[in-house]
Amino acid sequence: MARHISAGRKAAFYLGTVLIVLGFALAGWGVLSASAPPVDIASLQIRVFGGVALAMVGNLLRSIGTRGLAGAGVVLDPAKARRELEPYSRMAGGMVRDALEEANVGLGSRVEKVVMIKCPSCGKRNEDDSRFCQECGRRIRAE
Ligand SMILES: [Zn+2]
């Protein structure tokens, strides 16, 4: 299955990014020029609305790039959407997992000091979830 994003989707993503930047620049230029008379309303509108339209097209391209045509809702095909969203959801899932792991590091070091199991053989304190003693290797948990 499509485990990685196709070159076409990558191109759409980056083209979309460029269009968003251009769109904002165009709209920003339009807004800036409004403060310096004489103001040409027609060209001002073209710049501002054109810039916003460009940014919107860019945004759509970007979401097609990240989620695929079906995933972005351009093509109505839930099964395809699921396939196309795969790399994206995996990325999102990976990010959530990373965040959880990071949170665990903080939590873990605090819990470690509280919940320890003393080895009956050598007396070494082991983490609550360890099966064997880290010092002498003796089994300290039944399951
Ligand atoms: Zn031990």
Side-chain angles (χ1 to χ4, degrees), residues 15-81:
L15 182 65
T17 308
V18 169
L19 285 184
I20 290 172
V21 172
L22 280 180
F24 273 106
L26 195 63
W29 179 37
V31 170
L32 278 178
S33 67
S35 59
V39 177
D40 180 353
I41 296 295
S43 83
L44 177 81
Q45 282 178 334
I46 288 169
R47 274 177 254 167
V48 173
F49 290 113
V52 170
L54 263 185
M56 280 169 70
V57 171
N59 201 37
L60 180 67
L61 272 177
R62 266 173 64 100
S63 65
I64 290 171
T66 47
R67 300 175 177 88
L69 271 178
V74 177
V75 178
L76 191 62
D77 185 345
K80 199 175 169 213

Side-chain angles (χ1 to χ4, degrees), residues 93-109:
M95 273 158 49
V96 169
R97 202 183 51 224
D98 288 349
L100 281 177
E101 272 173 11
E102 212 163 289
N104 249 339
V105 170
L107 271 175
S109 58

